[in-house]
Amino acid sequence: MKKTFLMTLIALSISGMSCAQSDTENTAKKQETVQQEFVKERRAQAKMAKNLIEQKVLKDAKKQAKQLKKEGWQPAPGTLPLEKQLTDVYTRMYTYEGRFPKYFIGRSSGRSTSAGMARKQALTRARVDVASQMKLEVAALTEETDMNTELSAGEVETVAKMVDTSQTMIQQSLGRTEVVLDIVRTLDGKTESQVAVSYDGNLAKETLLSIFEKEDAEIKQKLQNLLTK
């Protein structure tokens, strides 16, 4: 899943680029590519059988724990061993309710001379990562309308635009995230903190649906149908 995290961070950096015409066109193309890759990977995850998920969780957690230790990372004081933290992260990442994630996992890092400030930076960025993933998840669902015929092409575009313009509101709703990975290391005299936060999928659904509360009741109902399948 490191690939997914990397793609999400790329999407976030793309959104802050210049608004010049040529850059805008390039950004749109890159965002579309990221979205397509996300949709493809998300569908594959949703189809995984439970026993395969358990095997992949253990494999991914062990592999990444080994790599992180090699890079000097260790559990933050008072937290669980690295392997256990990563097992929890990957278990949540691969758990779905229907076609929608049961949890959203956002991950990022921060660096400062102050350990507290480094962790604060990491938490803020991880929540931004969650918001970006929620946006991509809606795109994944609406792209499947050729199979479920819930939304018309025009409605899919409307949903995408409204979710895109509501990123600030989505980020503000992420106060109830749970820290599931909390690791630190010292690099060049500074403390680097890396965290992963978990956001409940049901809360994510409520947040997404609230965007359409006063806008379009019909689209809201169709989106609700997609989110609950």
Side-chain angles (χ1 to χ4, degrees):
M1 290 301 295
K2 294 173 74 175
K3 178 181 177 182
T4 302
F5 291 130
L6 178 59
M7 290 191 295
T8 304
L9 291 174
I10 291 173
L12 289 172
S13 64
I14 288 171
S15 64
M17 293 177 66
S18 170
C19 293
Q21 182 62 33
S22 59
D23 287 345
T24 299
E25 292 175 356
N26 290 334
T27 296
K29 290 179 181 179
K30 290 178 181 179
Q31 287 177 324
E32 184 178 357
T33 300
V34 169
Q35 179 174 305
Q36 290 172 348
E37 289 295 323
F38 179 88
V39 170
K40 182 179 179 180
E41 186 171 352
R42 180 243 187 271
R43 288 173 179 169
Q45 291 171 8
K47 292 179 180 178
M48 289 176 64
K50 184 178 180 181
N51 62 327
L52 293 178
I53 291 175
E54 292 174 351
Q55 293 175 24
K56 186 166 180 60
V57 163
L58 294 175
K59 180 180 178 180
D60 288 353
K62 184 177 181 180
K63 181 179 179 180
Q64 191 176 20
K66 182 178 180 180
Q67 180 62 37
L68 288 171
K69 288 178 181 178
K70 187 182 297 185
E71 295 171 357
W73 293 97
Q74 58 184 357
T79 63
L80 294 172
L82 186 53
E83 290 85 351
K84 289 189 176 181
Q85 290 191 53
L86 288 168
T87 298
D88 188 16
V89 170
Y90 283 112
T91 298
R92 296 184 188 221
M93 285 170 59
Y94 291 130
T95 304
Y96 285 79
E97 287 186 342
R99 296 184 300 162
F100 200 73
K102 189 172 182 180
Y103 305 98
F104 282 88
I105 305 297
R107 190 168 177 175
S108 192
S109 61
R111 188 179 177 201
S112 174
T113 53
S114 163
M117 182 59 69
R119 189 173 187 273
K120 183 177 180 181
Q121 290 174 0
L123 283 170
T124 299
R125 294 167 182 169
R127 289 180 179 130
V128 172
D129 187 21
V130 171
S132 180
Q133 289 185 50
M134 287 170 61
K135 174 183 172 182
L136 289 172
E137 200 63 47
V138 171
L141 285 175
T142 55
E143 273 209 7
E144 296 178 357
T145 54
D146 57 329
M147 293 181 285
N148 56 53
T149 64
E150 288 286 355
L151 296 167
S152 67
E155 288 171 333
V156 169
E157 185 177 354
T158 297
V159 169
K161 287 181 178 179
M162 291 186 69
V163 172
D164 188 46
T165 57
S166 301
Q167 288 295 287
T168 300
M169 186 197 80
I170 291 174
Q171 290 175 32
Q172 291 172 347
S173 73
L174 301 180
R176 288 179 285 179
T177 52
E178 176 185 359
V179 178
V180 289
L181 177 72
D182 196 349
I183 58 178
V184 296
R185 69 176 177 178
T186 301
L187 188 66
D188 298 330
K190 292 186 177 182
T191 298
E192 192 169 1
S193 173
Q194 185 177 159
V195 302
V197 297
S198 174
Y199 187 57
D200 186 88
N202 288 324
L203 292 177
K205 291 178 185 178
E206 292 176 8
T207 300
L208 291 168
L209 290 172
S210 68
I211 296 172
F212 300 88
E213 194 67 45
K214 298 180 180 180
E215 299 293 336
D216 194 316
E218 184 177 354
I219 291 182
K220 178 185 176 182
Q221 183 59 54
K222 290 182 177 181
L223 182 59
Q224 187 169 20
N225 293 340
L226 289 174
L227 292 171
T228 54
K229 281 188 174 181

